[in-house]
Amino acid sequence: MSPPLPAFAAVVVGGGAGLRLGGAPKLLREVGGKPLFAHSQSRLAEQPGAQEAILVVPPAVREGFEASWGAFLALRCPVRVVAGGTTRSESVRAGVREACRKAHPPYVGVH
């Protein structure tokens, strides 16, 4: 049996423009009846040590994201949605910054 995971915040980075997929944000593509972000986010949030999940989305879809996709944000742990940057590194930075802003978890996992 593996030891329990320590407390952590899960950052799901989906802040890109989806250029490789024809310009639609990848995180909103449906797979199995759910948007792609919901699959990654729910699996991370199910882990015993997950204190919260941070979802990084493209700035263009940040406004009203919870109203449109809120049904997929109801998880075992709290979820916060933040706007990403123009590059992946900027989006990762935005997610980690948000994770550390309130909870100060000992670990942050980035997906």
Side-chain angles (χ1 to χ4, degrees):
M1 180 176 205
S2 55
L5 289 173
F8 70 96
V11 177
V12 176
V13 182
L19 297 177
R20 291 177 292 180
L21 291 173
K26 180 170 60 174
L27 80 159
L28 301 179
R29 295 286 177 133
E30 270 199 31
V31 176
K34 297 192 304 190
L36 192 56
F37 79 85
H39 293 278
S40 298
Q41 182 183 1
S42 64
R43 295 293 293 177
L44 287 168
E46 288 172 2
Q47 301 309 309
Q51 290 182 329
E52 68 177 338
I54 309 298
L55 178 61
V56 184
V57 301
V61 301
R62 173 61 190 97
E63 183 74 27
F65 191 87
E66 287 93 338
S68 299
W69 302 98
F72 297 102
L73 296 175
L75 301 173
R76 184 189 61 76
C77 65
V79 179
R80 288 187 274 156
V81 180
V82 299
T86 57
T87 65
R88 177 167 174 83
S89 63
E90 288 176 2
S91 294
V92 169
R93 190 175 307 116
V96 171
R97 186 180 305 121
E98 184 66 20
C100 295
R101 190 171 64 84
K102 286 186 180 178
H104 303 289
Y107 299 97
V108 175
V110 178
H111 174 63

XYZ file of all heavy atoms in Angstrom:
805
model
N 0.844 -1.183 0.000
C 0.000 0.000 0.000
C 0.885 1.239 0.000
O 1.842 1.335 0.747
C -0.911 -0.037 1.226
C -1.824 1.133 1.342
S -2.926 0.897 2.752
C -4.236 1.916 2.215
N 0.585 2.183 -0.854
C 1.403 3.389 -0.936
C 0.997 4.380 0.156
O -0.155 4.404 0.596
C 1.263 4.031 -2.315
O -0.081 4.276 -2.611
N 1.950 5.200 0.603
C 1.641 6.174 1.659
C 0.668 7.235 1.134
O 0.596 7.479 -0.073
C 3.009 6.794 1.983
C 3.833 6.543 0.772
C 3.321 5.284 0.146
N -0.088 7.864 2.024
C -1.036 8.895 1.581
C -0.301 10.100 0.996
O 0.831 10.398 1.378
C -1.782 9.280 2.860
C -0.879 8.869 3.973
C -0.077 7.695 3.463
N -0.959 10.741 0.066
C -0.373 11.943 -0.525
C -0.394 13.087 0.477
O -1.360 13.228 1.234
C -1.179 12.373 -1.759
C -1.071 11.493 -2.990
C -2.059 11.961 -4.054
C 0.336 11.533 -3.545
N 0.649 13.912 0.488
C 0.598 15.094 1.345
C -0.392 16.104 0.762
O -0.818 15.992 -0.387
C 2.034 15.638 1.279
C 2.569 15.119 -0.009
C 1.890 13.804 -0.257
N -0.763 17.087 1.542
C -1.679 18.128 1.074
C -1.069 18.860 -0.119
O 0.127 19.144 -0.135
C -1.965 19.114 2.201
N -1.891 19.141 -1.131
C -1.406 19.852 -2.304
C -2.552 20.591 -2.982
O -3.726 20.309 -2.750
C -0.743 18.889 -3.300
C -1.706 17.960 -4.001
C -2.205 18.278 -5.254
C -2.118 16.778 -3.400
C -3.099 17.430 -5.899
C -2.997 15.928 -4.035
C -3.496 16.254 -5.292
N -2.174 21.545 -3.829
C -3.119 22.219 -4.720
C -2.850 21.708 -6.124
O -1.695 21.538 -6.513
C -2.928 23.734 -4.660
N -3.900 21.431 -6.868
C -3.775 20.933 -8.240
C -4.048 22.075 -9.209
O -5.102 22.704 -9.144
C -4.760 19.798 -8.476
N -3.097 22.341 -10.093
C -3.257 23.380 -11.107
C -3.419 22.699 -12.463
O -2.539 21.959 -12.896
C -2.048 24.340 -11.140
C -2.194 25.365 -12.250
C -1.879 25.033 -9.791
N -4.562 22.934 -13.109
C -4.818 22.407 -14.446
C -4.666 23.573 -15.410
O -5.433 24.546 -15.348
C -6.223 21.782 -14.557
C -6.495 21.323 -15.986
C -6.356 20.614 -13.581
N -3.653 23.493 -16.259
C -3.339 24.602 -17.166
C -4.007 24.360 -18.512
O -3.666 23.425 -19.226
C -1.810 24.764 -17.337
C -1.507 25.954 -18.240
C -1.147 24.940 -15.983
N -4.953 25.201 -18.838
C -5.646 25.136 -20.122
C -5.815 26.526 -20.683
O -6.859 26.859 -21.228
N -4.805 27.347 -20.522
C -4.911 28.747 -20.898
C -4.569 29.068 -22.337
O -4.586 30.227 -22.733
N -4.289 28.042 -23.148
C -3.888 28.303 -24.527
C -5.050 28.636 -25.442
O -6.222 28.438 -25.112
N -4.700 29.126 -26.610
C -5.707 29.530 -27.595
C -6.210 28.357 -28.424
O -7.168 28.493 -29.170
C -5.123 30.592 -28.518
N -5.581 27.195 -28.324
C -6.015 26.023 -29.082
C -5.675 26.100 -30.555
O -6.386 25.558 -31.387
N -4.577 26.765 -30.885
C -4.205 26.946 -32.290
C -4.001 25.622 -33.016
O -4.355 25.496 -34.182
C -2.951 27.814 -32.394
C -3.098 29.244 -31.873
C -1.771 29.974 -31.952
C -4.175 29.978 -32.645
N -3.453 24.626 -32.339
C -3.239 23.323 -32.982
C -4.543 22.586 -33.228
O -4.589 21.627 -33.976
C -2.295 22.469 -32.146
C -0.868 23.016 -32.165
C 0.017 22.194 -31.282
N -0.403 22.422 -29.890
C 0.151 21.862 -28.837
N 1.114 20.998 -28.986
N -0.259 22.129 -27.631
N -5.617 23.026 -32.576
C -6.927 22.396 -32.754
C -7.876 23.286 -33.544
O -9.088 23.200 -33.398
C -7.542 22.081 -31.387
C -6.863 20.982 -30.602
C -7.453 20.870 -29.213
C -6.993 19.656 -31.321
N -7.341 24.174 -34.326
C -8.189 25.020 -35.161
C -8.672 26.287 -34.502
O -9.591 26.928 -34.998
N -8.099 26.652 -33.371
C -8.428 27.920 -32.734
C -9.443 27.860 -31.618
O -9.704 28.860 -30.977
N -10.024 26.715 -31.340
C -10.953 26.581 -30.215
C -10.177 26.107 -28.992
O -9.331 25.232 -29.111
C -12.057 25.595 -30.552
N -10.440 26.672 -27.816
C -9.704 26.253 -26.615
C -9.836 24.747 -26.369
O -10.945 24.210 -26.324
C -10.367 27.044 -25.489
C -10.962 28.230 -26.160
C -11.385 27.746 -27.524
N -8.697 24.086 -26.217
C -8.666 22.636 -26.033
C -9.451 22.215 -24.791
O -10.136 21.195 -24.807
C -7.212 22.179 -25.927
C -7.056 20.687 -25.725
C -5.627 20.222 -25.860
C -4.721 20.878 -24.861
N -3.361 20.335 -24.877
N -9.365 22.993 -23.735
C -10.008 22.584 -22.499
C -11.523 22.503 -22.611
O -12.174 21.846 -21.805
C -9.620 23.508 -21.349
C -10.328 24.860 -21.222
C -10.185 25.362 -19.813
C -9.758 25.842 -22.187
N -12.112 23.115 -23.646
C -13.563 23.079 -23.817
C -14.031 22.006 -24.794
O -15.239 21.795 -24.951
C -14.075 24.454 -24.269
C -13.772 25.597 -23.313
C -14.299 26.910 -23.862
C -14.336 25.327 -21.923
N -13.097 21.319 -25.452
C -13.464 20.234 -26.369
C -14.134 19.114 -25.586
O -13.676 18.737 -24.521
C -12.230 19.669 -27.084
C -11.547 20.625 -27.995
C -12.361 20.816 -29.258
N -11.723 21.794 -30.110
C -11.528 21.625 -31.382
N -11.932 20.540 -31.991
N -10.945 22.569 -32.089
N -15.211 18.585 -26.113
C -15.921 17.503 -25.438
C -15.276 16.152 -25.711
O -14.937 15.825 -26.839
C -17.378 17.459 -25.876
C -18.251 18.305 -25.020
C -19.729 17.940 -25.120
O -20.067 16.763 -25.344
O -20.528 18.866 -24.973
N -15.131 15.389 -24.634
C -14.641 14.020 -24.698
C -15.536 13.211 -23.757
O -15.604 13.512 -22.564
C -13.167 13.914 -24.248
C -12.711 12.467 -24.235
C -12.265 14.759 -25.125
N -16.244 12.253 -24.299
C -17.114 11.436 -23.460
C -18.220 12.223 -22.781
O -18.596 11.913 -21.650
N -18.715 13.263 -23.437
C -19.831 14.031 -22.891
C -19.453 15.112 -21.891
O -20.328 15.759 -21.322
N -18.148 15.304 -21.666
C -17.689 16.335 -20.734
C -16.580 17.144 -21.390
O -15.840 16.607 -22.216
C -17.118 15.726 -19.449
C -18.094 14.938 -18.630
C -17.572 14.604 -17.236
C -16.261 13.877 -17.203
N -15.903 13.369 -15.866
N -16.439 18.414 -21.003
C -15.302 19.174 -21.529
C -13.996 18.562 -21.018
O -13.945 18.003 -19.921
C -15.518 20.584 -20.993
C -16.451 20.446 -19.857
C -17.250 19.207 -20.091
N -12.954 18.673 -21.809
C -11.671 18.057 -21.494
C -11.146 18.448 -20.111
O -10.634 17.611 -19.374
C -10.648 18.415 -22.578
C -9.349 17.648 -22.578
C -9.589 16.153 -22.659
C -8.482 18.097 -23.735
N -11.298 19.717 -19.734
C -10.778 20.150 -18.430
C -11.414 19.369 -17.289
O -10.776 19.116 -16.270
C -10.967 21.660 -18.215
C -12.350 22.079 -17.814
C -12.754 22.051 -16.497
C -13.258 22.509 -18.766
C -14.040 22.427 -16.128
C -14.532 22.905 -18.415
C -14.925 22.857 -17.085
N -12.679 18.973 -17.434
C -13.383 18.285 -16.357
C -12.762 16.923 -16.058
O -12.738 16.486 -14.906
C -14.857 18.133 -16.706
N -12.241 16.253 -17.071
C -11.608 14.949 -16.864
C -10.346 15.094 -16.015
O -10.184 14.408 -15.008
C -11.263 14.302 -18.204
C -12.462 13.925 -19.004
N -13.175 12.767 -18.793
C -13.084 14.572 -20.026
C -14.181 12.699 -19.650
N -14.151 13.780 -20.412
N -9.451 15.985 -16.428
C -8.195 16.176 -15.685
C -8.446 16.708 -14.292
O -7.892 16.212 -13.306
C -7.287 17.159 -16.430
O -6.944 16.670 -17.683
N -9.276 17.706 -14.214
C -9.518 18.381 -12.942
C -10.168 17.443 -11.929
O -9.769 17.410 -10.768
C -10.395 19.587 -13.203
C -10.670 20.400 -11.988
C -11.605 21.538 -12.320
O -12.045 21.694 -13.435
N -11.893 22.322 -11.336
N -11.151 16.669 -12.356
C -11.833 15.794 -11.406
C -10.909 14.687 -10.901
O -10.942 14.336 -9.725
C -13.110 15.212 -12.011
O -12.814 14.385 -13.109
N -10.059 14.146 -11.767
C -9.121 13.107 -11.325
C -8.128 13.658 -10.304
O -7.830 12.998 -9.315
C -8.370 12.513 -12.515
C -9.239 11.761 -13.488
C -9.814 10.522 -12.898
N -8.728 9.586 -12.645
C -8.886 8.425 -12.069
N -10.061 8.030 -11.683
N -7.859 7.634 -11.875
N -7.627 14.846 -10.546
C -6.699 15.450 -9.579
C -7.406 15.775 -8.272
O -6.877 15.528 -7.192
C -6.068 16.710 -10.171
C -5.032 16.464 -11.252
C -4.698 17.762 -11.967
C -3.779 15.841 -10.673
N -8.602 16.313 -8.353
C -9.331 16.719 -7.153
C -9.788 15.530 -6.310
O -10.029 15.673 -5.120
C -10.535 17.567 -7.547
N -9.880 14.349 -6.917
C -10.275 13.136 -6.187
C -9.155 12.616 -5.284
O -9.409 11.813 -4.392
C -10.637 12.015 -7.166
C -11.930 12.209 -7.887
C -12.121 11.161 -8.984
O -11.254 10.263 -9.143
O -13.127 11.251 -9.689
N -7.933 13.032 -5.529
C -6.805 12.511 -4.754
C -6.939 12.946 -3.297
O -7.323 14.076 -3.002
C -5.481 12.991 -5.343
C -5.275 12.584 -6.786
C -5.496 11.099 -7.011
O -4.942 10.270 -6.310
N -6.313 10.769 -7.996
N -6.619 12.050 -2.360
C -6.828 12.338 -0.938
C -6.165 13.612 -0.426
O -6.701 14.268 0.452
C -6.243 11.113 -0.241
C -6.273 10.037 -1.268
C -6.108 10.713 -2.590
N -5.023 13.992 -0.959
C -4.336 15.175 -0.452
C -4.766 16.490 -1.081
O -4.303 17.556 -0.679
N -5.662 16.441 -2.063
C -6.047 17.669 -2.778
C -6.805 18.626 -1.867
O -7.856 18.296 -1.343
C -6.895 17.327 -3.998
N -6.238 19.813 -1.681
C -6.891 20.848 -0.886
C -7.759 21.742 -1.751
O -8.775 22.241 -1.303
C -5.855 21.726 -0.180
C -5.119 21.043 0.915
C -4.154 21.995 1.593
O -3.620 22.918 0.977
N -3.935 21.783 2.870
N -7.311 21.965 -2.988
C -8.066 22.798 -3.914
C -7.562 22.561 -5.327
O -6.486 22.007 -5.528
C -7.955 24.280 -3.566
C -6.585 24.862 -3.785
C -6.542 26.351 -3.508
O -7.583 27.020 -3.550
O -5.448 26.842 -3.244
N -8.372 22.970 -6.296
C -7.994 22.873 -7.700
C -8.042 24.267 -8.302
O -8.973 25.034 -8.039
C -8.948 21.935 -8.445
N -7.032 24.589 -9.080
C -6.969 25.858 -9.798
C -7.056 25.521 -11.277
O -6.246 24.751 -11.785
C -5.644 26.610 -9.528
C -5.366 26.741 -8.025
C -5.645 27.956 -10.238
C -6.364 27.519 -7.247
N -8.022 26.080 -11.960
C -8.185 25.871 -13.393
C -7.769 27.147 -14.103
O -8.339 28.211 -13.856
C -9.639 25.530 -13.722
C -9.971 25.340 -15.195
C -9.158 24.186 -15.798
C -11.460 25.083 -15.365
N -6.749 27.046 -14.950
C -6.253 28.198 -15.709
C -6.876 28.128 -17.103
O -6.716 27.147 -17.814
C -4.710 28.186 -15.799
C -4.221 29.435 -16.514
C -4.088 28.072 -14.412
N -7.602 29.183 -17.461
C -8.333 29.212 -18.734
C -7.843 30.380 -19.590
O -7.239 31.323 -19.071
C -9.862 29.328 -18.498
C -10.366 28.160 -17.659
C -10.230 30.652 -17.850
N -8.126 30.347 -20.892
C -7.741 31.484 -21.736
C -8.438 32.757 -21.272
O -9.611 32.716 -20.865
C -8.247 31.085 -23.130
C -8.383 29.612 -23.091
C -8.743 29.273 -21.677
N -7.737 33.882 -21.311
C -8.356 35.142 -20.889
C -9.680 35.423 -21.602
O -10.615 35.950 -20.996
C -7.299 36.201 -21.233
C -6.005 35.461 -21.208
C -6.328 34.072 -21.692
N -9.791 35.022 -22.863
C -10.999 35.309 -23.641
C -12.229 34.562 -23.130
O -13.352 34.988 -23.390
C -10.766 34.973 -25.116
N -12.047 33.452 -22.420
C -13.202 32.701 -21.910
C -13.357 32.819 -20.397
O -14.294 32.265 -19.825
C -13.162 31.201 -22.313
C -13.127 31.052 -23.815
C -12.005 30.485 -21.671
N -12.458 33.558 -19.746
C -12.519 33.685 -18.282
C -13.808 34.355 -17.822
O -14.449 33.905 -16.887
C -11.299 34.469 -17.766
C -11.341 34.807 -16.280
C -11.388 33.543 -15.442
N -11.667 33.800 -14.058
C -12.869 33.706 -13.503
N -13.929 33.398 -14.215
N -13.034 33.908 -12.210
N -14.197 35.419 -18.477
C -15.416 36.133 -18.108
C -16.614 35.207 -18.272
O -16.862 34.683 -19.349
C -15.587 37.364 -19.009
C -16.762 38.227 -18.672
C -16.573 39.048 -17.418
O -15.407 39.362 -17.084
O -17.577 39.351 -16.762
N -17.329 34.957 -17.228
C -18.514 34.117 -17.290
C -18.257 32.624 -17.337
O -19.168 31.846 -17.595
N -17.015 32.211 -17.078
C -16.688 30.788 -17.169
C -17.530 29.960 -16.204
O -18.075 28.922 -16.585
C -15.199 30.563 -16.902
C -14.745 29.171 -17.227
C -14.346 28.844 -18.510
C -14.740 28.178 -16.260
C -13.941 27.557 -18.829
C -14.338 26.888 -16.572
C -13.939 26.582 -17.857
N -17.631 30.403 -14.954
C -18.392 29.650 -13.964
C -19.860 29.525 -14.360
O -20.482 28.484 -14.164
C -18.279 30.280 -12.571
C -16.932 30.077 -11.924
C -15.978 31.225 -12.181
O -16.157 31.989 -13.163
O -15.020 31.364 -11.403
N -20.425 30.591 -14.937
C -21.827 30.550 -15.354
C -22.043 29.525 -16.468
O -23.050 28.812 -16.482
C -22.284 31.936 -15.811
N -21.096 29.426 -17.376
C -21.230 28.510 -18.505
C -20.846 27.071 -18.172
O -21.457 26.135 -18.673
C -20.356 28.980 -19.674
O -20.761 30.248 -20.111
N -19.833 26.895 -17.340
C -19.260 25.568 -17.105
C -19.292 25.147 -15.644
O -18.680 24.161 -15.263
C -17.820 25.536 -17.622
C -17.729 25.868 -19.067
C -17.416 27.080 -19.608
C -18.004 25.003 -20.164
N -17.462 27.008 -20.976
C -17.827 25.752 -21.351
C -18.375 23.671 -20.264
C -18.011 25.201 -22.604
C -18.557 23.122 -21.517
C -18.374 23.886 -22.672
N -20.015 25.887 -14.819
C -20.032 25.644 -13.375
C -20.425 24.245 -12.957
O -19.958 23.736 -11.941
N -21.280 23.586 -13.725
C -21.695 22.226 -13.373
C -20.507 21.273 -13.323
O -20.535 20.282 -12.601
C -22.725 21.717 -14.374
N -19.458 21.585 -14.067
C -18.277 20.719 -14.099
C -17.229 21.143 -13.069
O -16.167 20.541 -12.990
C -17.660 20.719 -15.496
C -18.583 20.146 -16.529
C -19.279 20.973 -17.382
C -18.766 18.776 -16.635
C -20.136 20.456 -18.336
C -19.622 18.236 -17.584
C -20.320 19.083 -18.433
N -17.534 22.183 -12.300
C -16.585 22.670 -11.300
C -16.912 22.181 -9.893
O -16.166 22.444 -8.969
C -16.549 24.206 -11.312
C -16.051 24.839 -12.607
C -16.189 26.362 -12.525
C -14.623 24.450 -12.899
N -18.033 21.500 -9.716
C -18.430 21.009 -8.399
C -17.645 19.742 -8.086
O -17.940 18.675 -8.613
C -19.932 20.736 -8.374
N -16.644 19.887 -7.247
C -15.765 18.767 -6.907
C -15.673 18.602 -5.399
O -16.238 19.388 -4.638
C -14.366 19.003 -7.482
C -14.273 19.171 -8.992
C -12.865 19.563 -9.390
C -14.666 17.880 -9.690
N -14.948 17.604 -4.977
C -14.739 17.345 -3.556
C -13.977 18.481 -2.871
O -14.145 18.726 -1.694
C -13.953 16.027 -3.409
C -13.748 15.586 -1.975
C -12.791 14.427 -1.877
N -11.469 14.704 -2.378
C -10.540 15.427 -1.744
N -10.797 15.967 -0.584
N -9.354 15.614 -2.274
N -13.152 19.180 -3.615
C -12.380 20.279 -3.039
C -12.761 21.584 -3.753
O -13.319 21.562 -4.841
C -10.884 20.008 -3.157
S -10.255 19.957 -4.838
N -12.460 22.730 -3.145
C -12.781 24.010 -3.789
C -12.044 24.186 -5.114
O -10.927 23.698 -5.282
C -12.296 25.057 -2.786
C -12.074 24.338 -1.509
C -11.831 22.901 -1.850
N -12.682 24.881 -6.036
C -12.100 25.153 -7.358
C -12.093 26.660 -7.576
O -13.085 27.335 -7.320
C -12.921 24.491 -8.484
C -12.316 24.818 -9.846
C -13.006 22.996 -8.284
N -10.954 27.162 -8.047
C -10.864 28.574 -8.453
C -10.447 28.612 -9.908
O -9.649 27.796 -10.358
C -9.854 29.329 -7.595
C -10.388 29.548 -6.181
C -9.497 30.437 -5.364
N -8.453 29.608 -4.759
C -7.280 30.067 -4.366
N -6.963 31.330 -4.532
N -6.398 29.272 -3.807
N -11.009 29.564 -10.639
C -10.717 29.725 -12.068
C -9.974 31.036 -12.252
O -10.406 32.078 -11.745
C -12.016 29.729 -12.898
C -11.709 29.894 -14.383
C -12.813 28.455 -12.658
N -8.831 30.976 -12.964
C -8.039 32.178 -13.229
C -7.701 32.253 -14.711
O -7.672 31.237 -15.404
C -6.736 32.222 -12.390
C -7.033 32.239 -10.911
C -5.818 31.072 -12.731
N -7.452 33.456 -15.177
C -7.046 33.675 -16.569
C -5.568 33.359 -16.732
O -4.751 33.702 -15.871
C -7.326 35.109 -16.986
N -5.242 32.715 -17.838
C -3.860 32.411 -18.156
C -3.196 33.569 -18.870
O -3.774 34.646 -19.032
N -1.975 33.323 -19.315
C -1.214 34.343 -20.023
C -1.126 34.039 -21.504
O -1.860 33.204 -22.034
N -0.177 34.679 -22.164
C -0.009 34.472 -23.603
C 0.896 33.279 -23.919
O 0.945 32.832 -25.051
C 0.565 35.743 -24.287
O 1.795 36.080 -23.649
C -0.421 36.895 -24.169
N 1.608 32.770 -22.912
C 2.449 31.585 -23.088
C 2.110 30.572 -22.004
O 1.480 30.906 -20.989
C 3.947 31.927 -22.977
O 4.216 32.379 -21.636
C 4.353 32.993 -23.984
N 2.534 29.325 -22.210
C 2.279 28.310 -21.187
C 2.954 28.679 -19.871
O 2.350 28.529 -18.805
C 2.754 26.933 -21.644
C 2.543 25.891 -20.542
C 2.704 24.473 -21.020
N 2.641 23.532 -19.915
C 1.531 23.067 -19.371
N 0.362 23.461 -19.814
N 1.582 22.199 -18.373
N 4.170 29.177 -19.938
C 4.862 29.522 -18.688
C 4.123 30.627 -17.934
O 4.042 30.587 -16.707
C 6.318 29.897 -18.949
O 6.413 31.041 -19.763
N 3.560 31.593 -18.644
C 2.767 32.638 -17.977
C 1.508 32.046 -17.351
O 1.098 32.446 -16.264
C 2.390 33.738 -18.965
C 3.542 34.626 -19.376
C 3.140 35.654 -20.427
O 1.952 35.705 -20.820
O 4.029 36.402 -20.868
N 0.896 31.081 -18.034
C -0.307 30.444 -17.498
C 0.012 29.601 -16.268
O -0.730 29.621 -15.280
C -0.974 29.591 -18.575
O -1.459 30.404 -19.618
N 1.115 28.858 -16.318
C 1.542 28.077 -15.150
C 1.806 29.014 -13.983
O 1.369 28.772 -12.852
C 2.785 27.220 -15.475
C 3.389 26.632 -14.206
C 2.434 26.130 -16.466
N 2.509 30.102 -14.244
C 2.816 31.074 -13.196
C 1.529 31.625 -12.575
O 1.415 31.742 -11.353
C 3.661 32.220 -13.755
C 4.215 33.142 -12.690
C 5.161 34.208 -13.246
N 6.219 33.633 -14.055
C 6.378 33.857 -15.377
N 5.574 34.661 -16.030
N 7.362 33.289 -16.039
N 0.530 31.933 -13.404
C -0.742 32.461 -12.896
C -1.435 31.432 -12.002
O -1.983 31.772 -10.951
C -1.655 32.852 -14.057
N -1.406 30.157 -12.408
C -2.032 29.109 -11.609
C -1.328 28.874 -10.289
O -1.967 28.754 -9.242
N -0.009 28.811 -10.308
C 0.758 28.597 -9.073
C 0.608 29.798 -8.149
O 0.424 29.639 -6.927
C 2.238 28.307 -9.394
C 3.088 28.312 -8.132
C 2.373 26.985 -10.136
N 0.649 30.996 -8.704
C 0.459 32.201 -7.891
C -0.898 32.161 -7.186
O -1.005 32.449 -6.000
C 0.570 33.455 -8.756
C 0.518 34.739 -7.952
C 0.632 35.999 -8.805
N 1.810 35.989 -9.638
C 1.797 36.066 -10.976
N 0.661 36.173 -11.634
N 2.914 36.060 -11.656
N -1.933 31.773 -7.920
C -3.278 31.691 -7.328
C -3.346 30.600 -6.262
O -3.962 30.790 -5.218
C -4.321 31.437 -8.412
C -5.732 31.428 -7.918
C -6.227 32.753 -7.396
O -5.645 33.816 -7.730
O -7.223 32.754 -6.634
N -2.702 29.469 -6.508
C -2.701 28.383 -5.527
C -2.050 28.821 -4.218
O -2.500 28.423 -3.140
C -1.973 27.164 -6.090
N -1.025 29.629 -4.306
C -0.289 30.056 -3.117
C -0.881 31.306 -2.463
O -0.489 31.667 -1.360
C 1.174 30.292 -3.470
S 2.011 28.784 -3.982
N -1.806 31.941 -3.136
C -2.372 33.202 -2.635
C -3.142 33.024 -1.331
O -3.031 33.843 -0.432
C -3.280 33.819 -3.700
C -3.744 35.223 -3.400
C -4.457 35.842 -4.580
N -5.681 35.153 -4.936
C -6.864 35.376 -4.359
N -6.975 36.251 -3.403
N -7.918 34.702 -4.745
N -3.921 31.956 -1.205
C -4.754 31.766 -0.020
C -4.284 30.612 0.861
O -4.049 30.771 2.035
C -6.206 31.495 -0.432
C -6.944 32.689 -0.919
C -8.395 32.326 -1.161
C -9.172 33.509 -1.660
N -10.559 33.142 -1.938
N -4.194 29.442 0.268
C -4.014 28.226 1.068
C -2.575 27.958 1.488
O -2.354 27.297 2.474
C -4.547 27.022 0.292
N -1.617 28.424 0.743
C -0.207 28.143 1.002
C 0.034 26.647 1.184
O 0.521 26.197 2.210
C 0.299 28.919 2.217
C 0.129 30.392 2.088
N 0.884 31.146 1.227
C -0.745 31.238 2.671
C 0.497 32.413 1.308
N -0.496 32.495 2.147
N -0.343 25.847 0.169
C -0.156 24.397 0.303
C 1.326 24.049 0.296
O 2.133 24.760 -0.302
C -0.844 23.848 -0.953
C -0.719 24.966 -1.946
C -0.824 26.230 -1.149
N 1.700 22.948 0.951
C 3.109 22.565 0.938
C 3.582 22.132 -0.445
O 4.753 22.233 -0.750
C 3.176 21.417 1.932
C 1.785 20.951 2.138
C 0.883 22.079 1.787
N 2.648 21.660 -1.294
C 2.989 21.229 -2.649
C 1.944 21.745 -3.635
O 0.779 21.905 -3.287
C 3.031 19.703 -2.756
C 4.068 19.086 -1.860
C 3.728 18.576 -0.617
C 5.394 19.016 -2.267
C 4.679 18.019 0.212
C 6.353 18.463 -1.453
C 5.991 17.959 -0.217
O 6.944 17.416 0.602
N 2.409 21.992 -4.861
C 1.509 22.379 -5.952
C 1.824 21.456 -7.115
O 2.966 21.378 -7.552
C 1.718 23.860 -6.372
C 0.852 24.199 -7.579
C 1.419 24.792 -5.208
N 0.813 20.765 -7.610
C 0.967 19.907 -8.776
C 0.424 20.605 -9.989
O -0.666 21.170 -9.951
N 1.191 20.603 -11.077
C 0.768 21.268 -12.324
C 0.552 20.211 -13.378
O 1.429 19.388 -13.636
C 1.837 22.291 -12.786
C 1.413 22.933 -14.105
C 2.065 23.348 -11.710
N -0.634 20.267 -14.020
C -0.956 19.332 -15.098
C -1.106 20.116 -16.386
O -1.781 21.095 -16.451
C -2.243 18.585 -14.786
C -2.724 17.727 -15.895
N -2.000 16.655 -16.374
C -3.847 17.768 -16.643
C -2.675 16.077 -17.338
N -3.792 16.734 -17.543
